[in-house]
Amino acid sequence: MDTVELLMAEHSGIRIIAYNNILQKGSAELIDFNKFLLNIHVNIEETVVFPLLKENDSSTSKLIGTLIADHKLIETLFNNLYKWKLSENPLFNVRLPLFYKTLTEHNSNEEILLFSGWKNINQEQKDIAMKNAHEIILSNDVENYVKETGISKEMMDYIFI
């Protein structure tokens, strides 16, 4: 498994969360999801994967800029959702579907428009990227990562050999 395959596996977990409306349950679920999404998933994309893709193909620069702007939009939507959840504002239930839609469409755009370029990255860079992704995961809440992605510790031990 390489870093982009890992991100796409995480996207699958995100789609399951969205399709099952899991974030509607409670504010603790929101916090845990946000910690995974921003501290790990987005961090890996923006600090590990996007720079290599841009370095390999400068024509992806505009697309990557758009995807980074999406990350900021998703974070803003999340922050509003969290505020509304805590205050029991009805906007939470109204806007949660928009958050899911924005997030899943963003992930699909990454998979369709950008991640295919990962095939052009040389193996040494891919190996370094995977090590960097592993370090990001380990420097955060691994238990929460397992919960949010469904990727077991045993699978992590296997893919991060």
Side-chain angles (χ1 to χ4, degrees):
M1 178 174 272
D2 67 34
T3 311
V4 165
E5 291 169 333
L6 177 67
L7 291 172
M8 289 191 290
E10 291 173 2
H11 286 176
S12 294
I14 291 167
R15 280 190 286 274
I16 290 168
I17 288 168
Y19 296 150
N20 292 305
N21 202 17
I22 291 172
L23 298 180
Q24 189 173 23
K25 293 181 180 176
S27 56
E29 285 80 7
L30 283 167
I31 291 295
D32 287 347
F33 181 73
N34 193 49
K35 285 189 327 189
F36 152 70
L37 189 64
L38 295 178
N39 297 343
I40 298 176
H41 184 82
V42 168
N43 191 2
I44 292 170
E45 288 179 344
E46 290 186 3
T47 65
V48 177
V49 172
F50 290 178
L52 278 176
L53 289 169
K54 189 188 297 187
E55 179 184 312
N56 189 62
D57 182 359
S58 61
S59 72
T60 62
S61 186
K62 184 177 179 184
L63 174 59
I64 288 170
T66 300
L67 294 169
I68 290 171
D70 283 355
H71 290 161
K72 290 177 181 24
L73 171 62
I74 290 164
E75 182 178 9
T76 299
L77 287 170
F78 172 83
N79 288 335
N80 287 330
L81 283 171
Y82 184 69
K83 177 180 64 175
W84 295 328
K85 182 70 173 177
L86 290 179
S87 66
E88 298 181 11
N89 186 321
L91 280 174
F92 175 82
N93 289 322
V94 171
R95 297 288 188 227
L96 186 59
L98 174 64
F99 174 75
Y100 288 144
K101 181 179 186 232
T102 303
L103 184 58
T104 56
E105 284 180 0
H106 165 83
N107 289 347
S108 292
N109 285 336
E110 287 176 339
E111 292 175 9
I112 294 165
L113 302 174
L114 184 65
F115 286 169
S116 62
W118 194 251
K119 293 175 183 172
N120 300 323
I121 304 297
N122 73 51
Q123 191 58 48
E124 182 181 348
Q125 288 177 308
K126 286 181 179 181
D127 293 343
I128 292 168
M130 195 62 164
K131 287 178 187 170
N132 292 338
H134 190 215
E135 289 173 13
I136 289 169
I137 293 166
L138 292 177
S139 69
N140 284 277
D141 185 347
V142 174
E143 294 295 327
N144 187 54
Y145 181 80
V146 168
K147 180 183 96 171
E148 295 299 329
T149 63
I151 296 173
S152 68
K153 287 182 181 180
E154 293 75 20
M155 182 176 174
M156 286 177 56
D157 289 344
Y158 180 80
I159 62 176
F160 294 114
I161 294 175

